[in-house]
Amino acid sequence: MASKFLCFTLLFINICTADGYELYSSTRCLFNSTELKDIEFIRSYYYNRMELIRFDSDVGKYVGYTEFGVKNAEMWNNDPGQLAAMRAQKETYCQYNIGIWYANVLSKSVKPSVRLHSTMAPGCHHPAMLVCSVYDFYPKWIKVSWVRNGQEITSDITSTEEFANGDWLYQVHSHLEYMPRSGEKISCVVEHASLEKPLIINWVPPMPETERLIIVGAVGLILGLILFLAGVIYRRKSGDTSLACRFSEKQAEDWSKDAAALSLWRPQKEMFFKPGSELCFTNVLPKSGLMLVPSS
């Protein structure tokens, strides 16, 4: 009978696809664990999106949903071999593949990253809104809640559904309408399978603009003072040499403009460095410590 079913399917497709019709089947495994008792095997047969026949392992036989499906379900249910093969799929197909999924995917988890920030709430009487954004976690199921001064907040909260990033990871965003009050403590609490204990992110209100400007100005003043002191110290260490150089250059410039000084110093070359003159050597080195090499 199984071979007749295969032939019937192929014949039906060959006849109907020429006019754009389609016959197809869908196999599903519904499960809560890897235990056989927690698994349900379902195979459905469709014609143009209309379900004709279904085998459900919890029912144990075929069920037809149209006149044509009822007739075929009755025929297949009268075949013990066909029923035995389908009933075995729960163990041979579902339980085997579910074990692979649990070992490689379902038992894995990725810890979420959380960002808590404030934003303006357009069209709302509240001045701002707190947003707790949870990114890149797996599996999908997660709980995000709010706590004020140790008490869970149940009102003024809106949350998005968990939606996929496209890389097996998920994200979710929770919004809390926020009216600042002095001394209160607000926290975002995230509970997920990847966390040993709930992750608590405390909201730290931003500093007022005036205080922020004061701190920025004070930091700038301190930094400027440090740079000024460093410059003074550097000038002290290298200032003497620089001043001496500038003094020598200024003195040389003044002397160069003094005609009397120039007339006094220009003859010194001839008098002081005249060949054979002992004046050069007596003013530089002792005669006994100098050996002359005669010129050729």
Side-chain angles (χ1 to χ4, degrees), residues 65-97:
Y65 295 97
T66 65
E67 181 180 357
F68 177 79
V70 170
K71 292 181 179 179
N72 280 273
E74 183 180 357
M75 179 179 62
W76 294 342
N77 288 332
N78 289 328
D79 185 347
Q82 176 75 8
L83 285 179
M86 295 302 292
R87 289 167 180 169
Q89 293 296 304
K90 177 178 176 178
E91 180 177 1
T92 59
Y93 177 76
C94 286
Q95 190 175 35
Y96 173 77
N97 286 286

Side-chain angles (χ1 to χ4, degrees), residues 19 62 64 109 185 189 193 196 201 209 229 239 261-262 266-267 282:
D19 296 326
Y62 288 96
S109 62
K185 180 180 179 180
V189 182
E196 295 181 0
I201 307 297
E209 187 68 21
L229 293 176
L262 289 177
R266 281 170 180 165
T282 56

Side-chain angles (χ1 to χ4, degrees), residues 122-240:
C124 183
H125 63 278
H126 292 280
M129 179 176 290
L130 293 183
V131 182
C132 186
S133 299
V134 187
Y135 299 98
D136 300 333
F137 57 88
Y138 183 87
K140 176 180 179 180
W141 296 275
I142 194 170
K143 179 182 178 182
V144 181
S145 57
W146 294 89
V147 173
R148 176 186 284 118
N149 297 329
Q151 300 294 324
E152 184 174 356
I153 304 172
T154 58
S155 60
D156 300 327
I157 297 175
T158 56
S159 300
T160 65
E161 296 290 334
E162 301 88 350
F163 54 93
N165 295 342
D167 56 358
W168 288 84
L169 302 179
Y170 294 85
Q171 62 177 283
V172 67
H173 306 271
S174 181
H175 303 77
L176 171 66
E177 294 180 0
Y178 173 61
M179 177 68 75
R181 297 184 181 91
S182 177
E184 70 177 357
K185 180 180 179 180
I186 297 180
S187 306
C188 175
V189 182
V190 178
E191 299 176 69
H192 188 253
S194 63
L195 302 171
E196 295 181 0
K197 59 181 181 179
L199 179 61
I200 302 175
I201 307 297
N202 297 320
W203 166 243
V204 179
M207 188 177 299
E209 187 68 21
T210 54
E211 294 183 16
R212 190 184 311 170
L213 293 176
I214 292 174
I215 292 177
V216 171
V219 171
L221 181 61
I222 293 172
L223 182 60
L225 182 60
I226 292 174
L227 294 176
F228 173 75
L229 293 176
V232 171
I233 294 172
Y234 175 78
R235 288 291 298 274
R236 283 188 175 182
K237 290 184 177 180
S238 60
D240 295 341

Side-chain angles (χ1 to χ4, degrees), residues 27-100:
T27 300
R28 292 173 288 166
C29 295
L30 307 180
F31 58 95
N32 294 321
S33 72
T34 57
E35 297 293 329
L36 199 61
K37 62 181 178 61
D38 295 327
I39 299 173
E40 181 180 6
F41 170 78
I42 299 175
R43 177 170 291 174
S44 300
Y45 299 88
Y46 296 86
Y47 175 64
N48 283 355
R49 301 183 181 180
M50 179 183 295
E51 188 174 13
L52 303 178
I53 311 170
R54 174 187 295 186
F55 177 87
D56 190 326
S57 62
D58 287 355
V59 178
K61 63 179 182 178
Y62 288 96
V63 176
Y65 295 97
T66 65
E67 181 180 357
F68 177 79
V70 170
K71 292 181 179 179
N72 280 273
E74 183 180 357
M75 179 179 62
W76 294 342
N77 288 332
N78 289 328
D79 185 347
Q82 176 75 8
L83 285 179
M86 295 302 292
R87 289 167 180 169
Q89 293 296 304
K90 177 178 176 178
E91 180 177 1
T92 59
Y93 177 76
C94 286
Q95 190 175 35
Y96 173 77
N97 286 286
I98 290 170
I100 296 175

